[in-house]
Amino acid sequence: MNRVRCPFYSVIRNKGVAISLLAFFVAGCSPFDKKTTPGDGEDDYSGLEDKISDVIKDRPGRFGIAVIVDNADTITVNDLPEYPLMSMFKLHQAVAVCHCLDMRNISLDSVVSISRNEVDENTWSPMLKEFPSVDFSLSVGRLLEYLLVDSDNNASNLLFDKIVSVKATDSIVGNLLPGKGFGLRFKEAEMKEDIARSYDNWSTPLSYASLVNRIFTDSVVSSDKQAFIKKAMYNCKTGERRLMAPLSGKDGVMFAHRTGSGYVNEYGEIIAINDGGYVGLPGGHGYSIAVFVRDYAGKQEDAEDAISEISRVVFDYISEKHN
């Protein structure tokens, strides 16, 4: 992986000792575009593509899906560079934060001081329930937990402001993914100011599935920090009606994910309803999956039901192949 300088903007304290950190700057498709890339096993997943396409046809939104099976076979439907990430970019952000800490040999126990004027009282932020009215300090690890487990917008804004910028995050994670397939320009606070900016943080489904796949099958940051990211994804509390729904209670199945959704555009459409994660199967098999829904002209619950059905179809199909 190419090294990218990391723009730390503040002073954080490592185990109670202040550490000064220098600032560096980095600087025409068919309705269902389906593609399978066989790996070493040359498995045929065309039947899965057809099942996914049946789930999303006639839905009032644009669906994009990617699945990577056993780090080998790739299945995509509508894998286009047009899907707003929303809070899905918090996974990119977590990887970039951990990368920058690794570059300076700093642990997740390092502490960040936070002033009340640095947070937004009117955004999604479970963190503020713990600190309702005073200045406070948190470890970088705790901020990352709020980021990945609770999808806390203030935690995200603070990490972009104090640890690594949006631009640097784009560069750092881009170096992990051949072809990249995503773009990051704005943080949560900037998207809140102008929701049209949500479209400028985008990804292909395959790019997101590839990032998840790297996290669960390869090395992207130091082992302790990567284990931390994976644990937080297993503990993610958002989007339980989506990919997770048909997997709950399945014997021997492990599921970790990150979601993103929100904002209604000028046409009354929900800009994004997304979910992406890793499914560990019995016997050591597993797959990464990303489902993106753009500009959904219906109820969010209906789109979530469609995501859940896609998850069920994929799980059943892959499980049957391994039986």
Side-chain angles (χ1 to χ4, degrees):
M1 183 178 71
N2 295 332
R3 294 294 186 181
V4 178
R5 289 182 180 270
C6 301
F8 287 97
Y9 297 127
S10 65
V11 175
I12 65 177
R13 300 192 306 277
N14 190 22
K15 297 181 180 178
V17 180
I19 301 176
S20 296
L21 300 168
L22 297 177
F24 290 93
F25 295 88
V26 178
C29 298
S30 62
F32 299 113
D33 175 25
K34 301 180 290 186
K35 180 180 179 182
T36 299
T37 303
D40 293 337
E42 295 294 326
D43 285 330
D44 178 13
Y45 286 91
S46 58
L48 176 56
E49 295 167 357
D50 292 338
K51 289 178 179 292
I52 292 172
S53 296
D54 285 342
V55 173
I56 65 177
K57 69 181 180 182
D58 301 325
R59 300 275 183 175
R62 288 143 72 177
F63 283 72
I65 300 96
V67 182
I68 302 173
V69 185
D70 284 339
N71 201 28
D73 296 300
T74 299
I75 304 98
T76 64
V77 177
N78 297 337
D79 186 46
L80 303 172
E82 65 173 22
Y83 298 97
L85 279 158
M86 303 303 294
S87 288
M88 297 279 272
F89 73 36
K90 290 169 181 170
L91 182 57
H92 301 71
Q93 183 178 20
V95 170
V97 167
C98 289
H99 169 85
C100 285
L101 295 182
D102 283 343
M103 290 281 286
R104 305 207 178 284
N105 196 29
I106 297 173
S107 78
L108 293 174
D109 294 329
S110 303
V111 175
V112 177
S113 297
I114 302 164
S115 171
R116 292 301 296 182
N117 62 15
E118 293 180 300
V119 298
D120 182 357
E121 304 280 353
N122 299 307
T123 191
W124 172 251
S125 187
M127 177 179 68
L128 293 190
K129 294 180 181 179
E130 188 174 348
F131 305 98
S133 60
V134 295
D135 296 348
F136 56 99
S137 297
L138 288 174
S139 69
V140 177
R142 189 70 182 103
L143 283 170
L144 286 173
E145 285 180 337
Y146 278 121
L147 182 81
L148 294 174
V149 176
D150 299 299
S151 198
D152 192 292
N153 290 339
N154 276 314
S156 179
N157 291 329
L158 288 164
L159 288 167
F160 276 138
D161 290 342
K162 294 177 177 291
I163 306 295
V164 56
S165 69
V166 176
K167 182 178 180 181
T169 297
D170 182 272
S171 297
I172 291 165
V173 181
N175 283 331
L176 295 173
L177 304 175
K180 192 178 178 184
F182 74 92
L184 301 181
R185 291 187 60 195
F186 297 109
K187 62 183 182 179
E188 290 282 3
E190 292 167 324
M191 288 191 291
K192 182 184 174 187
E193 290 175 355
D194 180 359
I195 65 171
R197 291 171 174 164
S198 302
Y199 292 99
D200 293 321
N201 291 339
W202 61 272
S203 179
T204 66
L206 182 56
S207 175
Y208 203 87
S210 297
L211 176 59
V212 172
N213 198 63
R214 285 291 306 273
I215 290 170
F216 282 86
T217 67
D218 202 348
S219 176
V220 295
V221 292
S222 60
S223 59
D224 61 325
K225 293 182 177 67
Q226 190 153 328
F228 182 95
I229 291 173
K230 289 192 285 188
K231 181 180 179 180
M233 291 179 68
Y234 280 120
N235 292 332
C236 179
K237 296 178 181 178
T238 60
E240 294 181 351
R241 290 175 54 103
R242 303 179 194 179
L243 292 174
M244 181 189 297
L247 306 177
S248 296
K250 299 282 188 183
D251 290 340
V253 175
M254 300 290 288
F255 178 63
H257 69 139
R258 171 96 291 281
T259 62
S261 55
Y263 296 129
V264 175
N265 65 21
E266 60 184 312
Y267 305 106
E269 302 161 335
I270 304 172
I271 290 175
I273 307 165
N274 308 327
D275 202 355
Y278 188 81
V279 181
L281 301 174
H285 296 288
Y287 60 92
S288 301
I289 179 171
V291 180
F292 286 80
V293 184
R294 171 178 169 152
D295 297 339
Y296 195 78
K299 295 181 179 179
Q300 177 166 313
E301 292 82 2
D302 295 338
E304 291 178 326
D305 288 343
I307 294 173
S308 174
E309 181 62 11
I310 291 167
S311 180
R312 185 194 65 78
V313 164
V314 171
F315 175 82
D316 289 349
Y317 196 97
I318 294 174
S319 297
E320 185 175 340
K321 272 189 170 289
H322 290 303
N323 286 337

